Amino acid sequence: MSVAYDFAHSPATEFMARPQHLLIDGRRVPASSGRTFKSLNPATGQVIAIVAEGNEADVEHAVAAARRAFEGPWRTMRASERGQILLRWAELLKQHADEIAEIESIDAGKPISATMRQDFPAAVDTLTYYAGWADKISGDVVPVRDDALTYTVREPVGVVAAIVPWNFPLMIGMWKLAPALACGCTVVMKPAELTSLSALRIAELALEAGLPAGVFNVVTGPGRVVGDALVNHPDVDKVTFTGSPGVGRGIMKGAAGNFKRVSLELGGKSANVIFDDADLEAASKAAASGIFFNAGQVCSAGSRVLVQEKVYDEVVERIAARAKSLRIGDPLDRKTALGPVISEKQMKSILDYVDIGRAEGASLVTGGERVGDRGYFISPTVFANVAHEMRVSQEEIFGPVVSLIKFRDEADALRIANGTAYSLAAGVWSRDIGKLQRFAKRARAGTVWMNTYGYTDVRLPWGGERDSGLGREHGTAAIDNFTEPKAVWMNLAV
């Protein structure tokens, strides 16, 4: 396997060659400290960009700019005009689709075919969907008594801190940006330190679309500095975060200072349950995709495949065969199915879990090795004979590692599926509609897929409970996230 890039000839590489300053109050500016950090290509380990390392002073400037914009041009603008700006932004994104997808692919190690097929279209769809919401956020007239006019309105919550993960920086970033802006909020975004570039590029295009200065600010840098400063800032009204449960707990503690509103989309250890009456070819194909897509770096990855005893060996063979057939390599090669994991640290963590699985007594059927000596590639890994109590079954690995667990009957499948600290998603496969419905009703999961796996849509709520988070994103739930209801009484007896 070889990976080689020509960094001289494309809009994406020309963008990355520029100094990647912060974006505050409509201008690209260096960090106040002058410090920078290197952004690495996970497929090669090479430096692809030099990025400004923001700190508390930069957060202070960004929040102040967001507050001025919130109290001024953005909040007072007609809602329909806000929607039109967002639509213009969506059109600009489409005009720069190849550039943005290439930036995302190089920066995050994501196969370009998947970025163009899923991440980029989903980001544009989200922006377009919420642009349409901008002038449709309404309240209700509630007839409380005859001598009063009583009604409700929804007002923007204020300045939003959006803290975005490294696994889907463009798509998940837009999940937070689009509804916040449509509701009339302003945003300070902190992209992940490992994947900051797409946020900076789309922020430039937002300004080109007519977004007023200060409405959307980007402060890059480490979470322990920039993220903590945003969470603890007294003039931030809302934090929306996607990431690990440990960081999520810290955010909740920090947000208590001024009782910020918080929504969290955290981890997952999702069960994908295959009954013996399922279409085994379709179920195995989807199960492999459900764990190996994006190198398993997906919160809702089907990392636990539960298979009924009668067909267990056959499903193990089918998934292992698919794992062995996946093409690993250059993310910019449209034939690549599996790119690198995000960093050397993540690669080592995943390989440590492979060792843990072996030590616990699970059977390594295939994979579990580093591929090549350049970049952070791991062969897709299949563990069989996994016991429910093993760490590889209970803990989020966040890599291309699947645990196949045997179950007896419906009750046993449900016990195992619900038997972790997570509750983000689950899948179930059967030809028996009653069985499917019983499982969906009893599964502790924010999303349940029946005879499919992994689909999301901005029109449907997304999120979980317990270690999978707090609140929901998407659809009308996101409108609730970024608005405050207000009741109004007008005395008519005067």
Side-chain angles (χ1 to χ4, degrees):
M1 180 193 69
S2 63
V3 178
Y5 296 121
D6 178 358
F7 285 99
H9 303 99
S10 80
T13 53
E14 288 173 7
F15 168 77
M16 290 186 289
R18 292 160 36 192
Q20 294 303 316
H21 296 323
L22 314 176
L23 194 148
I24 298 176
D25 207 12
R27 296 184 301 117
R28 295 295 295 271
V29 294
S32 59
S33 67
R35 293 173 63 89
T36 61
F37 63 92
K38 297 174 181 178
S39 182
L40 304 182
N41 180 346
T44 65
Q46 295 177 330
V47 176
I48 54 173
I50 303 299
V51 185
E53 185 177 314
N55 61 18
E56 294 89 346
D58 300 305
V59 168
E60 186 68 38
H61 295 152
V63 172
R67 177 59 61 187
R68 288 193 299 271
F70 175 69
E71 299 294 350
W74 193 240
R75 187 178 189 182
T76 57
M77 183 183 294
R78 292 179 62 177
S80 60
E81 188 176 350
R82 282 203 303 268
Q84 289 300 314
I85 292 173
L86 298 184
L87 288 174
R88 288 198 296 272
W89 187 18
E91 287 303 312
L92 281 172
L93 293 181
K94 287 187 278 188
Q95 292 172 24
H96 292 265
D98 290 345
E99 176 191 358
I100 295 167
E102 187 177 340
I103 291 169
E104 190 83 339
S105 182
I106 294 172
D107 196 26
K110 302 170 77 70
I112 190 74
S113 57
T115 303
M116 291 299 291
R117 183 180 68 249
Q118 174 169 321
D119 298 34
F120 182 81
V124 173
D125 183 40
T126 299
L127 183 54
T128 305
Y129 173 75
Y130 284 109
W133 261 104
D135 60 357
K136 300 173 185 67
I137 300 170
S138 59
D140 297 295
V141 175
V142 183
V144 173
R145 49 193 292 173
D146 289 341
D147 62 351
L149 172 62
T150 50
Y151 59 94
T152 64
V153 294
R154 283 200 165 271
E155 298 181 340
V157 70
V159 175
V160 173
I163 304 176
V164 179
W166 48 256
N167 58 335
F168 290 93
L170 175 64
M171 185 179 74
I172 294 180
M174 194 59 78
W175 286 3
K176 301 178 185 307
L177 277 171
L181 297 178
C183 289
C185 299
T186 56
V187 176
V188 180
M189 175 180 281
K190 196 214 85 67
E193 193 174 1
L194 294 169
T195 55
S196 300
L197 302 182
S198 61
L200 291 166
R201 184 64 183 113
I202 67 170
E204 290 180 341
L205 293 174
L207 293 172
E208 189 176 333
L211 206 69
V215 171
F216 175 24
N217 308 273
V218 182
V219 181
T220 52
R224 66 184 181 277
V225 177
V226 177
D228 287 356
L230 283 168
V231 169
N232 291 291
H233 200 291
D235 211 23
V236 169
D237 303 296
K238 157 84 178 178
V239 176
T240 173
F241 168 78
T242 298
S244 71
V247 176
R249 290 185 179 92
I251 286 173
M252 291 192 72
K253 291 177 182 177
N258 67 335
F259 296 102
K260 292 177 179 65
R261 291 182 57 181
V262 174
S263 54
L264 307 171
E265 199 264 88
L266 306 176
K269 194 69 180 176
S270 300
N272 199 357
V273 179
I274 302 174
F275 284 96
D276 59 15
D277 63 344
D279 179 337
L280 297 186
E281 173 60 20
S284 300
K285 180 180 179 180
S289 176
I291 179 58
F292 300 132
F293 175 71
N294 203 42
Q297 299 167 126
V298 183
C299 293
S300 58
S303 53
R304 294 184 300 145
V305 177
L306 282 51
V307 187
Q308 201 158 14
E309 293 171 326
K310 181 180 176 182
V311 296
Y312 181 83
D313 291 340
E314 180 179 351
V315 172
V316 170
E317 290 178 6
R318 286 176 179 270
I319 293 178
R322 289 200 167 273
K324 293 173 184 176
S325 72
L326 292 175
R327 178 167 174 164
I328 306 170
D330 183 351
L332 292 184
D333 184 341
R334 290 181 179 271
K335 295 180 181 178
T336 293
L338 193 75
V341 299
I342 191 63
S343 66
E344 183 177 15
K345 178 181 177 182
Q346 186 68 12
M347 179 181 69
K348 289 179 178 178
S349 173
I350 295 165
L351 293 177
D352 284 346
Y353 269 108
V354 173
D355 292 340
I356 289 167
R358 284 170 163 166
E360 288 181 315
S363 303
L364 181 62
V365 179
T366 187
E369 298 176 334
R370 182 179 185 179
V371 177
D373 57 3
R374 188 172 184 231
Y376 316 122
F377 295 88
I378 296 176
S379 55
T381 305
V382 178
F383 273 115
N385 302 315
V386 176
H388 171 54
E389 296 78 15
M390 290 180 179
R391 287 181 62 187
V392 291
S393 170
Q394 292 291 318
E395 299 176 14
E396 187 175 36
I397 299 173
F398 224 62
V401 181
V402 63
S403 296
L404 285 117
I405 303 169
K406 193 178 296 184
F407 71 87
R408 296 184 303 276
D409 51 25
E410 285 187 53
D412 196 32
L414 192 68
R415 175 188 66 84
I416 297 170
N418 287 343
T420 74
Y422 300 100
S423 62
L424 186 58
V428 58
W429 297 79
S430 173
R431 289 185 170 91
D432 183 338
I433 192 169
K435 190 182 296 181
L436 293 172
Q437 291 291 339
R438 286 191 296 273
F439 181 87
K441 184 176 182 179
R442 295 168 185 162
R444 193 162 186 185
T447 294
V448 178
W449 293 290
M450 298 181 182
N451 292 331
T452 188
Y453 196 89
Y455 289 98
T456 61
D457 193 285
V458 69
R459 295 151 191 85
L460 295 172
W462 179 254
E465 303 170 12
R466 300 182 293 169
D467 278 19
S468 289
L470 177 70
R472 295 293 185 270
E473 295 184 295
H474 295 356
T476 58
I479 302 301
D480 293 339
N481 282 342
F482 298 108
T483 58
E484 292 281 10
K486 176 183 287 185
V488 180
W489 288 67
M490 178 182 287
N491 182 9
L492 299 180
V494 292

